[in-house]
Amino acid sequence: MWVDGQGDRPVVLRPGFQSRKRMCMVFFNYSGLIVVDILPQYTTMTATYYVQNVLSELKSAINEQRPKVSTSRILLLNDNAGPHKTRATTQSLRS
């Protein structure tokens, strides 16, 4: 690494630095944010957490914003992550 005579060496991050990362899920529509969910520290995203916490919060937020239409014509764009493809998730989305 080249450093000029007056500059300090850059700070090197410790190996455990990445363990502080947390997952954040953001749901939005054309008018702005609907729900922001941050996964609790040291937990893994599972289908149960996704259905019980995230989707239920999303449904109630959509029902508040759109009381007449509700969730009848909502399209969610999910990736192919494991919790998004399970039977429990697809059944919850259909209902």
Side-chain angles (χ1 to χ4, degrees), residues 26-28 50 55 58 74-80 84 93:
V26 179
F27 295 90
F28 58 93
Y50 186 68
L55 289 182
L58 181 62
I74 299 292
L75 297 175
L76 290 179
L77 178 62
N78 285 322
D79 57 5
N80 286 331
H84 299 161
L93 290 173

Side-chain angles (χ1 to χ4, degrees), residues 47-85:
T48 305
Y49 179 85
Y50 186 68
V51 170
Q52 291 177 353
N53 297 332
V54 178
L55 289 182
S56 63
E57 185 179 349
L58 181 62
K59 284 180 186 179
S60 63
I62 290 172
N63 286 334
E64 285 179 20
Q65 286 186 355
R66 304 168 48 152
K68 293 181 181 177
V69 180
S70 184
T71 58
S72 62
R73 292 184 287 168
I74 299 292
L75 297 175
L76 290 179
L77 178 62
N78 285 322
D79 57 5
N80 286 331
H84 299 161
K85 298 187 300 184

